[in-house]
Amino acid sequence: MTILRPKRTPSAPARPAPGGSSSLTPTQRRLGRDWRLAAVFIGPTLVLVAGLILVPIVSSVLTSVTERHGAETVFAGLDNYTALIDDALFHKGVLNSFVFTAYAEIFKVTFGLIAALMLHQMRRGRAIIAGVILLPWVIPTVVTAFTWRSLLDPIFGSVNVLLTDSGIGPALAAIGLVDKWPAEWLSDPALAMPAVILVNVWKGIPFFTVTFLAGLKAIDANLHEAAMVDGASPWQRFLHITLPGLRPVMIVTVLLSSIWTFNNFDLIWLMTQGGPGDATAPYVMVAYSKAIQQLQLGAGAAVTLVMLPIIAVLVVILVRMMRRSDQPGAADLGRRRLTDGQRRALPWVIVAGSVLVLVWASPQIVWKAVLVLGVFVVLAAAVGRLVSALAARSKRLAARLVGGGGSGVALVGLLGFVLAPIYWMTITAFKSDDQIVARTDDLWPTPWSTAQFTNLFTGAFGTWYVNTILVSVASTVIALICAALAGYALARLKFRGSESFTVTILLTYVMPGALLFIPLYQLMSGIGLNDSLWSLVLAYPTFTLPFATWLLVGYFKSIPADLEEAALVDGCTRFGAFRRIVLPLAKPGLLAVALFTLTNAWNEFLFAFVFITKDENKTLPVGMQSMIFNDVVPQGQLAAASLLVSIPVVLMYGFGQRFLTEGLTAGAVKG
């Protein structure tokens, strides 16, 4: 069928009147050409962001100047803030948050960079290995916490047994890394913080590895080839080509991870509940204790708001870095503000300052962390040099074994670190209680038993599973519809305030749940939705919708606008072009968003822990936590539950990995 289009002269615009300023009404000149349509597209997202994020933040500020006296809530002015000056628990919580974040980020950057460099050198099997390495990041936090609690158990855990049998444990005690042996990892004040840092590092390395690997792929290979021709050593190429090329990716990744880690609640609560004493309690847990346990909402809100300026600094830097790719002129301006020498010196000044703060804040951990980090780096370098030397003598054999370098051997150690906890969780799920208590057949159940699964479903586990599915699917549908409409409007439509709204979306994405859980708890109580699954369906878009919108903005920008222009010229409406042209082309981005939002809702703990108390309304993370009675930990049932909780998420990521990579790449480049 031939479509007749109007004849155009060379000077005629691609779109007629809508693009010309002479055809615009005074209202369109003030508010933008597409302001009416933009209001329809952005309306749902604007209502949710304003009602569930911006209004609660204002409500939190108002709550922070009140305090509860019996059944009454009275105005207290700045009393809640001034009380924090002499609050030892608050001081300890802030210090714990800084220490936890600093050490975790140092180790994640180091090991993530090493892993990314090793994967980048691989010629075969890179996608498979990257998928396996991604598992700790994919599986729910509740699974991570209970698996590592089981491994670090001083009586039934395998860590102490393996370290004792290998002689490493007594050696650690001899050099002072641990005070006594066998070690009580989670109940010793000196070891609890390093233990939870270790688990956070285990879960966070995959995120750093994948993002750094994407950054390495973007570095022009010709630069390395030219440097090799000029006689540059591998270290010189790494220092002058690889690191500068990775700098933008590293800054964004570290800032984003630092915000997440600084506001961590679920991992620490599930592993130690802030103990022993307050050795691992972060500031978020202090806020929770004051607001929920002591019913002093004003004091809890004050704790979160006092930390807001620190988070705000990180957020502002992050937003500027993430939007710099769209504004090259701004990037050049930022470079002109510093001389070359200042730019080279700035990272080292930041590193030196951070080290001095850590030495002051946690002298008992610094030298241990430096020793462990140094040993791992030296071992990795030694293995690489050894295998490289072997490769020089027998290139064909070395190429078969390790891909022509030392990465294969080191990857075996990395995969062992990644997979060992997951393997332990799996085999424990198929052990009987007698095998677990007697510590027989630690590495292979004999015989295999399904008793743990049978016992698990005699309780409320099935109900928790159904609740989690319902909440996750409902919140994902809401986030996906709203994000698709708002993302398209921000990417394509012309209206006043679009840039400001885009920045607001990104700001609300990195806004910590610690700032929102108190006012949202008040909101849900006020409208009678506490202890209801609807409270979670409404609350979950607070952390899924902003990222989904920002990601889809980038993805829609990557779709050529000419296709829509042709449809509009042929008489299609803007909404018709969106539905028939853009959405089909945006399937990878939509699937990536759906996968991200679904898994985040599946894994969420803090809101479900605060909002839900009735057993029949609990979701899986909170329900599994309630299976522990005092010091009685049903390791077999928790392992079985962890396996059943992880399987759907792993399958979803396995099925959607290609779409996730394509969607995230397009969104990250353009967003």
Side-chain angles (χ1 to χ4, degrees):
M1 180 178 69
T2 304
I3 300 175
L4 298 177
R5 293 193 177 99
K7 249 179 153 180
R8 296 176 187 157
T9 63
S11 60
R15 290 187 62 194
S21 60
S22 60
S23 63
L24 298 181
T25 66
T27 303
Q28 286 178 320
R29 291 192 185 96
R30 287 197 308 270
L31 302 180
R33 184 190 67 200
D34 304 314
W35 72 272
R36 292 181 184 274
L37 191 61
V40 175
F41 273 70
I42 286 183
T45 298
L46 183 61
V47 169
L48 287 177
V49 169
L52 297 176
I53 300 178
L54 301 181
V55 170
I57 290 175
V58 175
S59 174
S60 183
V61 174
L62 298 177
T63 301
S64 69
V65 295
T66 66
E67 63 182 23
R68 185 169 179 173
H69 289 218
E72 291 186 20
T73 300
V74 299
F75 179 74
L78 298 178
D79 289 352
N80 289 321
Y81 294 94
T82 56
L84 297 178
I85 298 175
D86 298 320
D87 191 334
L89 181 60
F90 170 72
H91 299 166
K92 181 66 174 177
V94 173
L95 185 61
N96 285 341
S97 293
F98 277 108
V99 170
F100 177 69
T101 302
Y103 285 112
E105 296 311 306
I106 289 172
F107 278 88
K108 283 186 283 191
V109 168
T110 303
F111 293 138
L113 182 57
I114 291 174
L117 290 170
M118 291 190 295
L119 285 174
H120 188 61
Q121 298 301 319
M122 294 183 65
R123 296 293 177 264
R124 296 178 181 177
R126 179 193 297 168
I128 297 176
I129 299 298
V132 173
I133 290 177
L134 198 61
L135 284 176
W137 188 63
V138 168
I139 63 174
T141 301
V142 64
V143 174
T144 300
F146 289 139
T147 300
W148 277 95
R149 276 186 63 162
S150 176
L151 283 168
L152 297 173
D153 189 282
I155 300 175
F156 302 110
S158 289
V159 170
N160 277 354
V161 174
L162 292 175
L163 292 178
T164 299
D165 293 345
S166 63
I168 297 176
L172 294 177
I175 63 176
L177 279 177
V178 295
D179 295 331
K180 61 180 180 179
W181 195 261
E184 298 177 352
W185 298 100
L186 299 179
S187 57
D188 185 340
L191 294 178
M193 180 61 81
V196 294
I197 291 173
L198 167 68
V199 179
N200 183 269
V201 169
W202 179 81
K203 190 168 182 62
I205 284 177
F207 176 71
F208 280 75
T209 301
V210 172
T211 53
F212 288 171
L213 183 61
L216 288 171
K217 291 179 182 178
I219 297 176
D220 188 357
N222 293 328
L223 297 176
H224 285 278
E225 293 176 2
M228 291 175 66
V229 171
D230 291 340
S233 66
W235 172 251
Q236 289 174 323
R237 297 199 302 271
F238 172 76
L239 193 62
H240 298 289
I241 297 176
T242 303
L243 277 184
L246 279 178
R247 184 180 292 120
V249 175
M250 292 182 73
I251 292 175
V252 171
T253 304
V254 170
L255 286 172
L256 193 57
S257 178
S258 296
I259 294 170
W260 292 340
T261 306
F262 190 76
N263 295 286
N264 188 283
F265 175 86
D266 47 0
L267 180 66
I268 298 176
W269 176 269
L270 291 167
M271 291 194 68
T272 65
Q273 294 192 3
D278 54 7
T280 59
Y283 89 94
V284 184
M285 208 167 290
V286 176
Y288 168 80
S289 174
K290 291 179 180 294
I292 307 302
Q293 294 180 331
Q294 302 174 22
L295 298 180
Q296 292 293 338
L297 296 176
V303 171
T304 60
L305 290 171
V306 163
M307 303 308 299
L308 185 58
I310 298 172
I311 301 169
V313 171
L314 297 177
V315 168
V316 169
I317 298 173
L318 178 63
V319 170
R320 294 186 64 180
M321 291 299 302
M322 295 178 84
R323 300 186 71 244
R324 182 168 289 180
S325 60
D326 276 350
Q327 300 174 346
D332 296 337
L333 180 61
R335 291 191 185 99
R336 288 196 296 267
R337 290 174 181 173
L338 297 175
T339 65
D340 290 340
Q342 289 173 332
R343 268 200 321 276
R344 287 193 297 267
L346 184 60
W348 299 108
V349 171
I350 295 174
V351 170
S354 302
V355 170
L356 290 175
V357 171
L358 284 178
V359 171
W360 168 80
S362 56
Q364 74 281 6
I365 301 180
V366 167
W367 73 271
K368 298 177 183 179
V370 171
L371 178 61
V372 172
L373 193 63
V375 167
F376 273 100
V377 172
V378 169
L379 284 177
V383 170
R385 278 190 169 276
L386 176 62
V387 179
S388 297
L390 293 175
R393 296 186 178 184
S394 182
K395 292 184 178 180
R396 182 175 299 176
L397 177 61
R400 290 178 180 177
L401 291 176
V402 295
S407 61
V409 175
L411 275 175
V412 172
L414 176 64
L415 289 175
F417 176 63
V418 167
L419 294 177
I422 300 174
Y423 175 77
W424 170 263
M425 171 194 70
T426 304
I427 63 170
T428 303
F430 291 97
K431 291 179 181 179
S432 65
D433 287 333
D434 292 339
Q435 292 182 60
I436 295 174
V437 173
R439 297 198 49 78
T440 58
D441 305 307
D442 261 356
L443 300 180
W444 192 260
T446 307
W448 287 65
S449 171
T450 58
Q452 304 296 349
F453 297 93
T454 304
N455 296 334
L456 190 64
F457 281 96
T458 58
F461 183 79
T463 303
W464 301 338
Y465 218 105
V466 173
N467 292 342
T468 306
I469 293 174
L470 293 176
V471 170
S472 301
V473 172
S475 59
T476 297
V477 170
I478 293 173
L480 193 60
I481 293 174
C482 295
L485 293 172
Y488 177 78
L490 293 172
R492 287 287 194 263
L493 303 183
K494 303 298 183 183
F495 62 97
R496 184 179 295 275
S498 59
E499 288 293 323
S500 300
F501 191 77
T502 303
V503 173
T504 302
I505 286 291
L506 192 53
L507 286 172
T508 54
Y509 165 57
V510 292
M511 196 64 64
L515 185 65
L516 298 175
F517 80 91
I518 295 175
L520 284 177
Y521 173 77
Q522 291 178 289
L523 175 64
M524 299 305 170
S525 298
I527 60 179
L529 288 183
N530 260 5
D531 261 332
S532 166
L533 294 180
W534 283 109
S535 65
L536 303 182
V537 173
L538 288 177
Y540 284 0
T542 60
F543 59 85
T544 57
L545 179 58
F547 178 75
T549 303
W550 174 76
L551 181 66
L552 287 178
V553 168
Y555 201 88
F556 288 143
K557 286 181 179 179
S558 70
I559 298 175
D562 294 344
L563 301 174
E564 293 168 75
E565 297 289 340
L568 292 172
V569 170
D570 289 339
C572 189
T573 65
R574 176 68 79 167
F575 184 78
F578 167 69
R579 183 169 59 88
R580 297 174 183 175
I581 305 295
V582 177
L583 285 183
L585 294 175
K587 282 182 179 178
L590 294 172
L591 287 172
V593 166
L595 184 60
F596 172 83
T597 55
L598 190 64
T599 52
N600 272 270
W602 186 274
N603 300 341
E604 200 281 327
F605 178 80
L606 177 58
F607 289 160
F609 183 60
V610 173
F611 296 166
I612 305 296
T613 57
K614 293 180 181 177
D615 203 50
E616 64 269 19
N617 289 336
K618 290 178 179 177
T619 55
L620 283 169
V622 180
M624 290 173 63
Q625 191 266 345
S626 67
M627 292 169 61
I628 301 176
F629 297 96
N630 297 324
D631 294 330
V632 179
V633 181
Q635 292 194 15
Q637 290 189 38
L638 284 175
S642 298
L643 188 61
L644 293 176
V645 171
S646 301
I647 287 175
V649 182
V650 173
L651 290 178
M652 284 189 292
Y653 269 89
F655 172 76
Q657 185 177 5
R658 178 172 64 88
F659 299 105
L660 181 68
T661 303
E662 184 178 346
L664 290 177
T665 301
V669 170
K670 297 286 184 180

